[in-house]
Amino acid sequence: MTTFMIGAIVVICLSMIPVIYRMVKGPATSDRVVALDSIGVSLISLIGLFSILVETTFFLEIILLLAILSFIGTVAFSKFIEKGDIIKRDNSR
């Protein structure tokens, strides 16, 4: 069981290398947003596997926090792509 978990962690780490490349060299902003979301999902799965490996529930709160931050980041980038501005400011005052 331990060798399977370590193997899964290694495979996920190796699969993150092309995703990181796509995030850095992506031809469009939308490619970078998808890569960032994929990295978030990969980090969540890595922490989940590590939590199972060390047999603790301490990391479950970290998984929840990463999921929330990944969702907020994806929404913010999507809003930026759509409108060009994340927070609309009213300068009429």
Side-chain angles (χ1 to χ4, degrees), residues 32-93:
R32 291 184 173 128
V33 170
V34 171
L36 188 66
D37 196 36
S38 178
I39 287 174
V41 170
S42 297
L43 282 175
I44 289 169
S45 63
L46 278 174
I47 294 172
L49 287 172
F50 184 72
S51 176
I52 293 170
L53 189 65
V54 296
E55 297 176 356
T56 183
T57 60
F58 173 72
F59 297 110
L60 297 180
E61 289 87 10
I62 296 172
I63 290 173
L64 183 62
L65 180 67
L66 276 175
I68 292 169
L69 287 175
S70 178
F71 174 73
I72 290 172
T74 303
V75 170
F77 276 122
S78 300
K79 195 171 181 183
F80 176 74
I81 290 172
E82 181 182 343
K83 297 181 180 179
D85 195 17
I86 297 173
I87 299 173
K88 185 176 179 181
R89 295 192 175 114
D90 186 20
N91 293 331
S92 63
R93 295 190 237 178

Side-chain angles (χ1 to χ4, degrees), residues 18-31:
V19 175
I20 292 171
Y21 176 78
R22 181 55 55 199
M23 188 180 72
V24 173
K25 301 283 275 188
T29 309
S30 59
D31 294 330

